[in-house]
Amino acid sequence: MEFPLANRIEKLPPYLFADLRRKIAAKKAAGVKVISLGIGDPDSPTPQPVIGEMIRTVTNSADPDRHRYGCDCPVAELPDAIKRFYSRRYGVDLENGQIAVTSGSKDAIVQLCLGLLNPGDLGIAPQPGYPTYNIGHVFCSANTWHLPLRKTNGWLPDFGEIPLEVSQQAKLLWLNYPNNPTTAVAPPDFFREAVEFGRRHNILICHDSAYSENAYDGYKSPSILEVPGAADTAVEFYSLSKGFSMTGWRVGCVVGNPSAVKALRLVKENADNGMLRAIQFAAAKALDSIETLVPPINAVYKRRRDMVAEALDKAGWPVDIPRATIYVWAPVPEKYHGSSAAFAEDLLERAAVAVTPGRGYGVTGDGYYRISLTYPDAIIREALDRIRQLAEK
Ligand SMILES: *Cc1c(COP(=O)(O)O)cnc(C)c1O
């Protein structure tokens, strides 16, 4: 028997890298040693103190709840550590009703949508942007209005470009700084403007701060909650994944507007059973030790970032040097006439290097490609040699 997919699954956008992925697989099958710089998943291991805390707490026989449902036996140390972290880092004081512990941001993005959107509702998602915002809307049979980000505006949205009927109808607006894929950071007044927009139109501003810790050259990324009164109209998705090399652990939080936090908690209470207590203890340890754990991880990305920028510069394909994220967002070389797909295909075909074409993040991402810095130095160096040889041909 073959069971038909639900309509909402049929409505998911096509996976825009499917074609490229097929071509990579075909090359590999033909024996070509393809180097991929495509995926943003930290290669450095999770810091030892975090692993140590995980082991200590999972084996702690004095804790009779250590094996039980995390939702029924939550670890109070984690929201406490989140409060300490937001206070120390951003000067933001959170209350219990403003914090939901999550199994990472991707899951929580969809869960918050389920908690807030009815069929036919509207959400606003940046383009280019992380695909899950739109996917969250689709799961709720809600619609997406795509808010263009452009190089000419520093990859920031222009709220004035949103038609009045869209801002009147929309319930959510997604933002993400430091930004994936463009690596842009938010200037000081940007979140103030976003909060004003949300307040004026009764829209929940959802700020995804997945790359808040991946910052270089002294840059410190702000929280949207630093804007006075932001919790009236905003939530922030904080994740330990990228900053602490903990993508597989699935832990983060959503903080800010109490009604949004409550909606998310209700979805979670009814759809998942929380997180192993040892993961919660370990996450608290990570947040409390951020000042010592994160700099060594970032030193590695910074070294690779500089390697990539220098090599592309020498190849005659210069890039802007990012102050944050784990990517380099590079303009497609002139001879490809702005087609990121044509460039990515040629690079794969003639240099056996895979990068992510910007078009995959939406039409306004075309003209750019993304290199991920989450690969060992030797692999990146080899890929850069190949790219340089192609550039010289
Ligand atoms: C990687 C990424 C996420 C996912 O983070 P998890 O907490 O691991 O689910 C969310 N948003 C953006 C923009 C990302 O790049």
Side-chain angles (χ1 to χ4, degrees):
M1 268 196 292
E2 172 134 358
F3 299 99
L5 294 170
N7 293 344
R8 74 176 70 86
I9 299 296
E10 301 281 8
K11 278 192 197 139
L12 288 174
Y15 186 60
L16 279 157
F17 306 121
D19 204 36
L20 189 65
R21 195 171 268 189
R22 241 188 330 271
K23 283 180 182 144
I24 294 171
K27 282 237 158 241
K28 283 185 175 163
V32 180
K33 198 178 146 260
V34 176
I35 297 180
S36 170
L37 301 180
I39 300 184
D41 192 348
D43 62 318
S44 321
T46 303
Q48 200 53 47
V50 181
I51 296 173
E53 181 70 358
M54 164 74 153
I55 294 171
R56 186 184 74 74
T57 50
V58 82
T59 54
N60 176 17
S61 54
D63 176 3
D65 296 328
R66 68 191 147 122
H67 64 284
R68 307 182 93 176
Y69 285 130
C71 57
D72 297 326
C73 309
V75 170
E77 281 81 347
L78 181 49
D80 286 350
I82 292 167
K83 282 185 208 166
R84 280 193 296 274
F85 168 69
Y86 261 81
S87 161
R88 193 165 84 243
R89 165 72 176 275
Y90 302 119
V92 169
D93 291 321
L94 296 170
E95 289 158 23
N96 282 336
Q98 294 183 309
I99 304 172
V101 169
T102 65
S103 299
S105 291
K106 188 175 186 177
D107 319 38
I109 289 165
V110 173
Q111 289 170 326
L112 183 69
C113 288
L114 289 170
L116 292 175
L117 297 177
N118 289 317
D121 278 348
L122 187 64
I124 300 175
Q127 188 186 68
Y130 188 60
T132 308
Y133 314 133
N134 171 53
I135 288 169
H137 302 165
V138 171
F139 275 135
C140 301
S141 302
N143 301 309
T144 301
W145 192 81
H146 295 284
L147 177 59
L149 310 182
R150 295 190 188 87
K151 161 88 173 166
T152 47
N153 199 37
W155 304 106
L156 298 168
D158 171 3
F159 294 111
E161 202 179 331
I162 303 175
L164 190 60
E165 68 265 24
V166 169
S167 38
Q168 280 170 344
Q169 210 200 325
K171 282 193 173 171
L172 308 177
L173 185 152
W174 297 93
L175 295 172
N176 161 224
Y177 293 95
N179 184 261
N180 177 17
T182 70
T183 75
V185 299
D189 277 339
F190 175 72
F191 285 139
R192 190 176 299 274
E193 210 189 311
V195 166
E196 250 165 51
F197 179 80
R199 193 175 282 137
R200 189 158 62 242
H201 297 287
N202 228 348
I203 294 174
L204 179 70
I205 308 295
C206 303
H207 179 237
D208 174 359
S209 72
Y211 298 94
S212 57
E213 309 315 327
N214 303 106
Y216 316 104
D217 309 328
Y219 178 69
K220 280 239 173 276
S221 78
S223 161
I224 194 168
L225 298 180
E226 288 174 41
V227 177
D232 275 356
T233 192
V235 281
E236 186 153 80
F237 287 65
Y238 185 87
S239 171
L240 281 81
S241 285
K242 306 290 174 24
F244 292 88
S245 286
M246 289 175 71
T247 43
W249 293 61
R250 312 309 306 134
V251 56
C253 59
V254 170
V255 295
N257 182 271
S259 63
V261 164
K262 185 173 157 202
L264 174 62
R265 280 188 183 168
L266 282 168
V267 173
K268 286 183 66 64
E269 272 167 36
N270 286 281
D272 75 42
N273 272 323
M275 214 183 320
L276 185 71
R277 280 166 64 80
I279 295 177
Q280 301 181 54
F281 282 116
K285 172 84 180 178
L287 288 173
D288 279 339
S289 323
I290 189 166
E291 287 81 1
T292 54
L293 299 185
V294 165
I297 297 176
N298 284 343
V300 173
Y301 293 132
K302 178 181 151 60
R303 182 176 71 227
R304 294 173 184 167
R305 175 199 72 170
D306 293 342
M307 246 166 70
V308 169
E310 194 189 317
L312 289 174
D313 205 38
K314 278 195 188 139
W317 295 346
V319 297
D320 290 339
I321 295 180
R323 284 197 288 169
T325 77
I326 52 179
Y327 309 109
V328 170
W329 179 244
V332 164
E334 236 164 74
K335 67 173 173 176
Y336 298 93
H337 306 292
S339 169
S340 57
F343 173 67
E345 261 175 51
D346 202 42
L347 198 59
L348 178 64
E349 202 47 53
R350 295 166 62 209
V353 173
V355 296
T356 310
R359 177 67 182 82
Y361 298 96
V363 278
T364 44
D366 211 3
Y368 288 80
Y369 66 99
R370 194 192 77 174
I371 286 178
S372 167
L373 303 173
T374 59
Y375 295 87
D377 290 30
I379 300 278
I380 295 179
R381 197 169 298 118
E382 163 83 32
L384 291 170
D385 282 346
R386 294 184 189 183
I387 291 174
R388 237 171 103 181
Q389 282 165 23
L390 176 70
E392 281 162 8
K393 271 181 201 164

